[in-house]
Amino acid sequence: MTRFIADSLRPGFRNGAARRYLAGCFLLGLAMFLLAAPARADDDLPGRVGRVADMAGELFLSPPDAPEQWLPIGINYPVTGGDNLWVGNDSRAEVDFGAGQFRLAGNTNLHLSRLDDRQFALFVAQGRVSVRIRVLDAGEIARVDTPNVQIVLTRPGLYRIDVSDDRLRTILAVREGEGNVLMSAGIQQVLPGQTAEAEGSEPRFAAVRNGVSIDGFDAWVGTRDRRYERNRPNNYVSREMVGWADLDEHGTWAQVPEMGAVWYPTDVAPDWAPYRNGYWAQVGGWGPTWVDYAPWGYAPFHYGRWAFVGGRWGWAPGTYVARPFWAPALVGWTGGAAWSFSVSSGAPVYGWVPLAWGEPYRPWWGRCSHGCWQRYNRPYAVDVTVRPSAPPPRYVNVNAPGGMTAMPATALIERRPVAQHMVSVSGGMAAQAPLLLAAPIVRSDVGRIPVPRAPVGAPPPASTFYRTGSNPSGGLGSLQGAGAPTAVPPAARPAPSSGLGGINAAPPSSRPAPAMGMAAPAPSAPATSGLVAPLPPSMQRTPSRPAPSAPAYVAPTPTVVAPAMPSAVRQAPAPVSAPQAGRPAPVPQAAPAASPPAVVPAPAPTAAPAGSNLQRSERQRPDRVDGDKPPPR
């Protein structure tokens, strides 16, 4: 082949086949070059991750890699696509994801199906969920699936979704915005001030009435909404930066040459330093992720840079970006076995230093395209034209008071609180610490989650909102998963915790992991069974002690329902054929084989009307980082 190509390059060579071959090789190489960058960009981890912004009572998380195990989590714990959430009785929780918030009432089981830069999708297995969409640009998707219908949120607004315990009734109340309920017979539009109810395992139509009900859960939602809608004294950071609402309440702003606006936390100790009042956790594919205990401790540890200015630590958010890129922790790692003998008795010790203004952030998980690299570093005066392959010779903040924090590897890996397990590092030791190319590994199993409170009783059974086969009709809402045994065993239950958040690992279960991904590839094995239902309330756990008393916010107000009026129902398109078999009853025994209902593809989301303050302008697009500027102050 080499000789053939070499001959074709000689002057006067007239072989048409060779010319065609070389032309084909050139075009193939050009196509591979042009497609290489988008392919690498598609492999980037999401730049948007949610946060537990408020909670009361019990909140548990089951990560995608351990679906049978539940972790008690608290404020500031990152929540990303694939996570399962359960809110205990008489409890509540709010998750802020930048473009909005979703809130969970007591006894609610939810799966965050997708959360990335363009898609937001939930699966509500049971309970009450309120979804606030604040920003929905053209091309972005906001969707809520339930066991019997699919709901597409087409405009920014406030929506409430109720799913009965038997998973046969879904109620959508639209307070603001517009929603479409997708069923086997077509699409039902629900306008502001209307409530739609779909009942049955495979409903064909939804009953729509004018008026919405209000209870104590809605009153709490309204209170939380007002925090995000209040006027701000400045516009230094975008409202889509997760955690921005806590900054003005817990700190002050000042202008610093070169860095611009710098935020200083208040009510901290004189020797306070960043990345010390919390612990390291394993989140998704990012690896070690910082979880801070402070109520304001989310935005300053996942965006921006830290600097020691005027005798105290300050946080610089950088130039204004409409949708800033989330990072697990903006630190440089040091230490290891080669450094441990000078710090401790020989056990490996790891340290970390907050990145300073102008220092590049090098993602340690290895999946970051050039666009990802720019979004992590450009707003902070980093030269993004050069991407270093190694850490700098020395971190700027290593000499600042509290600039380096170190702890034994065993404590770090087991997610122990840093403030209780850090080791003292002198200036000379810090200067000799070797710089690491990657972060250490944190345990990915349940282990210990050092929440400030001990969980009450045992967590509920793991949710089973997965499909044991593929959806024959495919579609946007199909739930894909590997084949499962015909008899579904009871969900594994962790033993009651002891101490500070400790949980014993549950025995393995043959049940497959939940899968809620959008447009997931269908399994090769033929699908025979349908949606497996969770255990009914009568079969669920019995707490070893009485449940905690209900928070004050739960006190319901009288239900107000507007008089029923004839509702205008949009003419449904031609029915889509659905399997005749029904969904299995929600019992713990083996479920009879059934096929899932056909799902009507969701229409493209409708952009907000012109002039709406919820529609972001072109200059604020997340892919226009270099053109982003703060609004007039």
Side-chain angles (χ1 to χ4, degrees):
M1 181 63 67
T2 304
R3 176 67 179 275
F4 178 78
I5 297 175
D7 291 341
S8 66
L9 299 177
R10 294 176 181 174
F13 190 77
R14 297 293 184 268
N15 192 322
R19 289 198 300 271
R20 289 192 297 271
Y21 174 80
L22 292 177
C25 291
F26 174 77
L27 294 176
L28 178 62
L30 180 62
M32 294 178 63
F33 174 79
L34 294 176
L35 293 176
R40 288 195 299 269
D42 291 342
D43 292 337
D44 291 340
L45 293 177
R48 183 168 63 169
V49 173
R51 162 222 186 189
V52 179
D54 186 72
M55 61 166 292
E58 298 177 302
L59 174 62
F60 299 94
L61 178 142
S62 177
D65 56 348
E68 289 86 13
Q69 299 172 341
W70 292 89
L71 298 72
I73 60 175
I75 296 295
N76 292 329
Y77 197 90
V79 179
T80 185
D83 288 341
N84 304 327
L85 297 175
W86 180 284
V87 178
N89 293 326
D90 302 326
S91 304
R92 68 187 184 202
E94 173 188 285
V95 175
D96 179 15
F97 59 93
Q101 298 81 34
F102 62 89
R103 292 143 180 145
L104 298 79
N107 197 32
T108 296
N109 196 183
L110 175 146
H111 180 265
L112 183 55
S113 311
R114 181 67 63 89
L115 181 62
D116 55 32
D117 299 328
R118 295 296 177 191
Q119 300 178 77
F120 166 72
L122 300 176
F123 180 86
V124 182
Q126 70 177 65
R128 298 170 292 164
V129 177
S130 176
V131 179
R132 164 65 77 175
I133 301 294
R134 302 186 184 277
V135 177
L136 191 63
D137 290 334
E140 295 184 348
I141 296 175
R143 194 187 81 238
V144 178
D145 292 286
T146 72
N148 62 344
V149 298
Q150 181 178 94
I151 302 169
V152 178
L153 311 179
T154 60
R155 293 184 182 275
L158 180 60
Y159 308 86
R160 171 164 166 171
I161 299 93
D162 289 33
V163 177
S164 60
D165 291 342
D166 60 5
R167 291 156 303 281
L168 296 177
R169 183 173 70 257
T170 297
I171 300 176
L172 168 65
V174 179
R175 289 174 170 80
E176 304 171 25
E178 178 184 327
N180 291 327
V181 182
L182 280 64
M183 296 158 291
S184 60
I187 302 175
Q188 171 65 61
Q189 183 186 43
V190 187
L191 300 176
Q194 291 185 336
T195 300
E197 181 175 346
E199 191 164 3
S201 60
E202 298 180 12
R204 295 180 57 83
F205 299 100
V208 179
R209 70 173 188 273
N210 292 327
V212 294
S213 300
I214 299 176
D215 57 13
F217 177 58
D218 297 301
W220 172 68
V221 168
T223 302
R224 293 296 301 176
D225 258 352
R226 287 190 286 272
R227 293 190 72 256
Y228 296 92
E229 295 167 355
R230 67 178 186 270
N231 293 328
R232 296 190 297 171
N234 58 73
N235 290 325
Y236 296 140
V237 297
S238 169
R239 288 179 180 266
E240 292 191 58
M241 175 181 287
V242 179
W244 70 267
D246 300 310
L247 298 177
D248 294 333
E249 297 178 2
H250 299 279
T252 58
W253 293 90
Q255 292 291 329
V256 176
E258 182 185 359
M259 290 183 288
V262 175
W263 179 83
Y264 296 94
T266 55
D267 299 330
V268 295
D271 60 346
W272 180 91
Y275 293 100
R276 285 192 171 182
N277 184 32
Y279 63 98
W280 293 97
Q282 179 82 12
V283 175
W286 290 274
T289 302
W290 180 254
V291 183
D292 204 87
Y293 287 138
W296 50 266
Y298 193 86
F301 299 100
H302 299 286
Y303 312 94
R305 299 291 190 270
W306 282 95
F308 194 78
V309 182
R312 55 177 177 167
W313 285 97
W315 174 68
T319 57
Y320 183 94
V321 179
R323 184 175 291 177
F325 220 53
W326 181 91
L330 295 155
V331 300
W333 289 92
T334 65
W339 185 54
S340 59
F341 293 96
S342 61
V343 179
S344 63
S345 60
V349 173
Y350 290 101
W352 54 91
V353 181
L355 294 181
W357 183 260
E359 283 188 316
Y361 174 66
R362 300 172 53 256
W364 49 70
W365 54 89
R367 296 170 55 187
C368 185
S369 66
H370 183 66
C372 161
W373 159 261
Q374 288 184 324
R375 295 181 69 182
Y376 272 132
N377 293 286
R378 180 180 292 174
Y380 316 112
V382 177
D383 182 9
V384 296
T385 61
V386 179
R387 185 170 180 175
S389 59
R394 187 182 184 86
Y395 290 112
V396 174
N397 285 328
V398 71
N399 293 326
M404 174 175 285
T405 306
M407 67 186 304
T410 54
L412 186 147
I413 292 172
E414 294 178 357
R415 310 173 182 177
R416 298 183 183 274
V418 172
Q420 301 175 15
H421 296 86
M422 64 181 183
V423 298
S424 177
V425 179
S426 64
M429 294 179 182
Q432 299 174 2
L435 306 184
L436 302 180
L437 295 175
I441 299 175
V442 180
R443 287 177 58 177
S444 59
D445 59 349
V446 169
R448 292 178 178 268
I449 296 295
V451 292
R453 57 175 177 77
V456 180
S463 60
T464 53
F465 42 85
Y466 64 92
R467 194 176 298 283
T468 55
S470 63
N471 186 345
S473 62
L476 189 63
S478 60
L479 313 182
Q480 310 292 354
T486 55
V488 180
R493 304 172 187 232
S497 60
S498 59
L500 188 62
I503 289 186
N504 299 325
S509 170
S510 58
R511 181 165 51 86
M516 266 299 300
M518 298 173 60
S524 56
T528 57
S529 57
L531 192 69
V532 179
L535 295 175
S538 60
M539 297 291 292
Q540 292 180 2
R541 67 181 175 99
T542 301
S544 56
R545 50 178 168 169
S549 58
Y553 77 93
V554 178
T557 57
T559 302
V560 179
V561 181
M565 298 177 62
S567 57
V569 180
R570 176 182 295 180
Q571 184 66 30
V576 179
S577 59
Q580 298 299 321
R583 198 182 306 276
V587 294
Q589 294 87 354
S595 298
V599 179
V600 179
T606 306
S612 171
N613 58 1
L614 296 172
Q615 187 178 29
R616 195 189 308 142
S617 63
E618 177 62 23
R619 68 176 178 85
Q620 294 177 315
R621 294 291 304 158
D623 54 352
R624 295 284 299 278
V625 177
D626 54 346
D628 287 330
K629 296 180 181 178
R633 299 170 187 164

